[in-house]
Amino acid sequence: MRTPLPRPGRRSFLAMTGVSSAAFALGTGHAAADELDGAGVPADPFTLGVASGDPLPDGFVLWTRLAPEPLAPDGHGGMPRRPYTVRFEVAEDEGFARPAARGQAVATPELGHSVHAEVHGLRPGRDYFYRFRVGGELSPVGRTKTAPAPHTTPGELRFATASCQAWYHGHFTAYEHMAREDLDVVFFLGDYVYEYAINATNLWRQGVPMPPAEHNAPTITLEQYRLRYSLFKTDPHLQAVHAAAPWVSTTDDHEVENNYADELSLESGTPPHDFLRRRAVAYRAFYENLPVRSAPRGPDLPVYQRLRWGRLADIDVLDTRQFRDGYPAGVVTDDSPERHDPRRSILGERQERWLHERMRRSEATWNVFAQGVVMAQIDRDTGPGELYSNDQWDGFPAARDRLFAAWRRYGIANPVVLTGDIHRHVAAELKADWRDPASAAVGVELVGSSIASDGDGAESDNLAPIWLGNPHVKLYNARRGYLSCRMTPAELTSEFKSVPFVRTPGAPLTTTARFVTEAGRPGLNREV
């Protein structure tokens, strides 16, 4: 087994990224902010919208970022290099006649003038509205929600999942439709941005100009990562979904580099110490641009967490990229003996222990695992042999076996795995014995397609026989879209939503498939 390299510490991280602990504290609203008036703030600083995330029974995180010129080449969004006090208001009504909370945080140039305001003291299970003010400028209004009280059982949880939003491959039409749904929460499952150079060969989104020259090279520096987030976040439909419901986010690989594993750069071959520096600035840009609660610590970003939706659902948000072992012998697809090494882990030892401890205490009706890559076993050899992707949980079968054993040991009720990554809609039953099609299902996996990555897609493609050749796979569809779900104490209804094209705007939305999973009876019952 590989011995992990020592991580750069907090002080080393400050040296490599130029951000202070005070800047992090001020940006969350934890520290008392000096009165820094809004004099000199440029007009229209809220071009990237507003967002909320990580809902708790008494509050949530509110986010915005001041950027009157979001694509300014220095990555500072057109803001002067000075801090600004940003005030926020939370109310029970959209007109702010019934105020519920207010406060302030400081938007610092060290954090790209982003704000993460942690709000507490609110009532559980309620809709709230929020807005920001800096100087004389007022932001758009966002809607958010607190989680239910811990010991209550809400009648339902409405959620959607999204992933893989390559702006240059198409319009975010799926978000246009998602924003119209009445959702309690959106789970984002990875690849919020892509690190590749944007050029004439991969700019498939029609009707937009070629992005500025700063995007015509791979994304490596802090300034480049900031600009990449800014470009993607200029999309009005993405902004609308952020403003419509709280988000819970995890990462996959493209927030840093394709197929990376811990400190191993498998795409560019960057030496580990240099790659950790790249990871540090990539995670810093992720934090600056999403409504997440935990700031990066050096090259490490605290991603995994548990959220509870009363007694209805325990939601474990997992990190399947940052602590994983590399590919056996550097091979992406194989069936090598190394793949079966019981010491291999996709979560890392510490995250596995954390997850098992929380599962041991679960009393929820549903147990949801929001994570990045496919968990179901997928044999990719359509003949008598076997081939598996080492980038997915198939590269770590012992870790998957340990997870399923923990489900049995702790009596985990109704496991539901939410996944992104593959740019396809897939519904699969998770089996106690993969070699026996009649084996009992121990849970279900719902894989939502990409928002735009890989362009328009198709109803089927050349990979369909591979996936559908595994009998526990009940759906395979290669269109773009998202997953929309309604969870109640009795059942989970999962709808796979698709759009027929994304290279041009205005696509209609269809329901490709609908499944019902009954509480206490793991499996997928297809209705549409």
Side-chain angles (χ1 to χ4, degrees):
M1 290 294 288
R2 164 180 63 84
T3 300
L5 291 172
R7 291 286 194 269
R10 181 80 167 184
R11 185 168 300 174
S12 175
F13 170 61
L14 303 185
M16 74 172 74
T17 61
V19 64
S20 68
S21 300
F24 277 116
L26 289 170
T28 64
H30 285 313
D34 294 333
E35 282 298 319
L36 302 167
D37 63 41
V41 65
D44 195 17
F46 297 106
T47 61
L48 299 179
V50 300
S52 67
D54 290 353
L56 299 174
D58 74 332
F60 30 70
V61 176
L62 299 181
W63 174 93
T64 193
R65 181 177 161 218
L66 307 182
E69 300 174 31
L71 301 184
D74 65 357
H76 281 274
M79 288 295 294
R81 303 292 183 90
R82 53 156 287 195
Y84 288 87
T85 294
V86 180
R87 293 172 174 80
F88 63 86
E89 302 172 80
V90 179
E92 296 180 352
D93 66 303
E94 198 168 1
F96 290 83
R98 300 194 303 277
R102 60 170 50 92
Q104 64 184 38
V106 175
T108 67
E110 291 90 347
L111 290 176
H113 287 98
S114 64
V115 169
H116 296 73
E118 297 188 17
V119 182
H120 296 282
L122 303 177
R123 294 189 289 177
R126 299 296 182 104
D127 288 345
Y128 287 95
F129 298 86
Y130 62 94
R131 63 188 178 188
F132 298 90
R133 186 188 304 272
V134 58
E137 301 288 336
L138 195 63
S139 78
V141 173
R143 169 190 172 272
T144 189
K145 191 180 186 86
T146 51
H151 301 297
T152 63
T153 302
E156 66 176 10
L157 166 61
R158 291 184 177 270
F159 65 87
T161 74
S163 63
C164 305
Q165 51 187 38
W167 176 93
Y168 47 88
H169 276 176
H171 292 265
F172 291 172
T173 311
Y175 280 142
E176 181 180 9
H177 295 287
M178 187 190 294
R180 297 172 184 153
E181 297 204 26
D182 184 16
L183 299 172
D184 295 312
V185 66
V186 174
F187 295 106
F188 190 82
L189 304 175
D191 296 343
Y192 195 96
V193 295
Y194 282 73
E195 79 282 15
Y196 300 125
I198 302 175
N199 51 50
T201 63
N202 63 11
L203 182 59
W204 304 343
R205 177 187 275 226
Q206 297 181 19
V208 298
M210 179 64 66
E214 291 77 21
H215 294 274
N216 296 339
T219 305
I220 297 173
T221 68
L222 175 60
E223 291 76 19
Q224 289 172 318
Y225 280 110
R226 281 177 171 170
L227 286 171
R228 191 55 57 94
Y229 279 95
S230 294
L231 176 65
F232 284 35
K233 291 177 78 68
T234 56
D235 186 277
H237 304 313
L238 173 58
Q239 290 191 22
V241 177
H242 268 304
W247 281 41
V248 175
S249 302
T250 188
T251 66
D252 193 25
D253 51 349
H254 289 289
E255 286 88 356
V256 184
E257 181 187 82
N258 182 46
N259 287 348
Y260 86 90
D262 197 356
E263 74 267 18
L264 301 178
S265 168
L266 301 172
E267 180 98 343
S268 64
T270 305
H273 277 96
D274 291 335
F275 183 72
L276 287 176
R277 291 176 179 273
R278 178 179 179 182
R279 220 177 77 174
V281 298
Y283 285 160
R284 177 174 162 190
F286 177 89
Y287 174 76
E288 290 175 352
N289 286 281
L290 272 86
V292 293
R293 194 176 301 276
S294 298
R297 294 192 286 265
D300 301 320
L301 178 68
V303 171
Y304 62 86
Q305 60 172 320
R306 165 165 283 192
L307 298 172
R308 308 192 68 182
W309 208 257
R311 290 184 176 271
L312 180 63
D314 282 346
I315 303 156
D316 290 313
V317 182
L318 304 182
D319 181 344
T320 56
R321 188 61 61 177
Q322 211 173 159
F323 309 108
R324 63 161 61 192
D325 290 294
Y327 297 154
V331 178
V332 179
T333 304
D334 72 357
D335 188 25
S336 64
E338 291 85 353
R339 185 177 76 91
H340 298 276
D341 188 328
R343 297 170 297 175
R344 286 178 54 76
S345 178
I346 193 171
L347 301 178
E349 183 180 354
R350 179 179 297 179
Q351 185 178 186
E352 279 198 34
R353 287 199 310 267
W354 169 89
L355 178 60
H356 288 200
E357 176 61 24
R358 274 144 188 81
M359 289 192 298
R360 185 178 64 83
R361 295 180 289 178
S362 177
E363 298 178 350
T365 301
W366 299 90
N367 284 268
V368 178
F369 303 85
Q371 51 98 54
V373 295
V374 171
M375 185 178 290
Q377 176 175 290
I378 304 297
D379 181 3
R380 295 164 184 272
D381 190 326
T382 56
E386 296 184 20
L387 284 174
Y388 299 97
S389 169
N390 290 317
D391 196 54
Q392 300 173 358
W393 281 77
D394 275 340
F396 310 85
R400 182 173 55 203
D401 290 345
R402 290 192 294 270
L403 177 61
F404 287 10
W407 289 355
R408 294 190 297 270
R409 182 164 61 250
Y410 302 130
I412 294 302
N414 305 309
V416 177
V417 178
L418 305 176
T419 303
D421 180 54
I422 61 171
H423 310 169
R424 309 291 192 276
H425 282 320
V426 169
E429 294 180 342
L430 303 174
K431 292 288 189 172
D433 182 354
W434 298 109
R435 297 187 180 278
D436 179 6
S439 175
V442 297
V444 299
E445 182 170 16
L446 309 172
V447 186
S449 187
S450 67
I451 295 297
S453 301
D454 283 347
D456 291 340
E459 291 299 309
S460 187
D461 61 15
N462 62 334
L463 296 180
I466 294 174
W467 286 78
L468 293 173
N470 293 268
H472 48 276
V473 174
K474 307 303 180 182
L475 170 70
Y476 179 93
N477 180 276
R479 289 293 188 196
R480 307 297 152 242
Y482 63 96
L483 176 70
S484 179
C485 294
R486 179 176 182 264
M487 178 178 283
T488 73
E491 63 185 24
L492 168 66
T493 302
S494 311
E495 295 188 336
F496 291 84
K497 305 287 190 176
S498 302
V499 291
F501 54 86
V502 296
R503 294 193 185 203
T504 56
L509 186 73
T510 60
T511 300
T512 294
R514 180 186 300 117
F515 293 91
V516 172
T517 301
E518 300 175 36
R521 299 181 64 185
L524 293 165
N525 304 303
R526 186 161 183 168
E527 292 191 339
V528 172

